[in-house]
Amino acid sequence: TPARMTSQRLSDTASKLDAASKLLRAKPEQSLIGDVGRAHGDARSAAASLAQQARALHLFDILDAPETQAVACIADLDRHAAVYATCAGLFLSLCGGVVHKLAASPCADVLRCAAQLLRKTAARQAQASDVGRLEAAVDAVGRLAWQPGSAAVLLIERQEGLMRDALQELLEAVEEGAGEQGE
């Protein structure tokens, strides 16, 4: 049936997006030299285009649409995802050290959320909140600190919070130990 074929195309495209997401999480084989700010802007713009196409796919009742329209809609989303993966990959290959460490996961999450939306659409389980998760991932890419100094500050702040939590747990354990000895 056309709905089953469309569902299979959605699942196949989701698998492609998952594979691309894993590639973005991996450290690039070589670092490139270029305009990181411009590459970030391109990735942000491509992510927004992907989210817009995903929103259109969600609103369009794709499983009940004529097959030619469904195929075209999925192909459009696939093209937007490929452009985003290329732009995000370039951005990440221009990032080094701490910037790459902070940026890889949010960049990959855009594709992961898009893949999840496609899988849920194929199973007729997609909801507006699934599109919202994709849009939140896109927003996270837009907020990335791509300048090394800003990224270092963010990483230090995260580590400081972890250290503070660990110290608090240690102090509580010492107090518990002292209370048990006093009994």
Side-chain angles (χ1 to χ4, degrees):
T1 67
R4 185 176 297 153
M5 291 172 59
T6 299
S7 181
Q8 185 59 49
R9 280 192 176 91
L10 288 167
S11 296
D12 292 347
T13 303
S15 295
K16 282 176 56 177
L17 298 185
D18 281 333
S21 175
K22 288 177 184 168
L23 288 175
L24 288 180
R25 286 185 194 281
K27 189 164 173 68
E29 293 177 16
Q30 67 180 30
S31 293
L32 301 177
I33 297 173
D35 186 346
V36 180
R38 182 175 180 179
H40 178 251
D42 291 346
R44 188 178 63 232
S45 177
S49 293
L50 173 58
Q52 183 176 0
Q53 186 62 36
R55 193 177 316 109
L57 183 137
H58 174 69
L59 294 174
F60 181 56
D61 195 6
I62 196 161
L63 293 176
D64 295 326
E67 188 176 2
T68 55
Q69 291 177 353
V71 168
C73 190
I74 295 167
D76 284 346
L77 187 132
D78 191 29
R79 277 191 295 276
H80 283 276
V83 168
Y84 170 73
T86 300
C87 290
L90 176 60
F91 166 64
L92 290 170
S93 68
L94 293 170
C95 296
V98 69
V99 175
H100 186 275
K101 183 175 181 141
L102 290 172
S105 193
C107 285
D109 282 348
V110 170
L111 293 173
R112 184 186 57 76
C113 289
Q116 184 178 22
L117 175 65
L118 292 179
R119 263 192 225 80
K120 286 187 169 187
T121 300
R124 294 189 188 266
Q125 297 173 345
Q127 298 179 1
S129 61
D130 297 312
V131 176
R133 276 190 277 288
L134 174 58
E135 290 172 344
V138 168
D139 290 344
V141 168
R143 290 190 312 269
L144 285 173
W146 52 267
Q147 295 172 323
S150 300
V153 167
L154 284 174
L155 193 59
I156 289 169
E157 287 173 352
R158 286 184 187 174
Q159 298 301 324
E160 179 186 17
L162 292 173
M163 290 298 293
R164 189 176 294 123
D165 291 344
L167 181 59
Q168 183 62 37
E169 287 180 25
L170 176 64
L171 291 174
E172 289 171 5
V174 168
E175 288 176 13
E176 282 181 27
E180 289 176 3
Q181 283 183 345
E183 291 178 3

